[in-house]
Amino acid sequence: MLPVALITWLVMGLAAGISARFFMPGPRLPWWATLAVGLLGAILGGLLATLLGFGGFAGYDWRSLVTATLGAMLLLLLLRLAR
């Protein structure tokens, strides 16, 4: 079951990273950086959603994709502010 979960996380992270880059364009990033932004954004979005009381990352569905994308967008914003 672990390889399936890993592949699901990678697909979700890449989809969230691509979606976040679509809504917040900026300098070009290599595919692995987009994947990293998406994965970290999914974690950040899930943690914030759980802390705010409306759920977190629950698998591959549209709510999780929205949560992960919003987390990735927040991460991109924080990275841009840090620069």
Side-chain angles (χ1 to χ4, degrees):
M1 194 74 157
L2 181 62
V4 173
L6 181 63
I7 291 170
T8 301
W9 272 93
L10 291 174
V11 169
M12 177 64 78
L14 189 57
I18 290 170
S19 299
R21 296 286 297 156
F22 176 77
F23 291 116
M24 294 183 66
R28 282 189 69 103
L29 293 175
W31 68 269
W32 54 268
T34 301
L35 177 63
V37 165
L39 288 174
L40 294 174
I43 293 168
L44 178 64
L47 288 174
L48 288 176
T50 301
L51 289 174
L52 293 173
F54 59 89
F57 188 80
Y60 196 74
D61 63 354
W62 68 271
R63 290 180 298 145
S64 296
L65 181 60
V66 169
T67 301
T69 300
L70 291 174
M73 291 171 65
L74 178 62
L75 183 62
L76 284 173
L77 180 67
L78 293 173
L79 290 173
R80 287 181 186 169
L81 290 175
R83 285 187 177 190

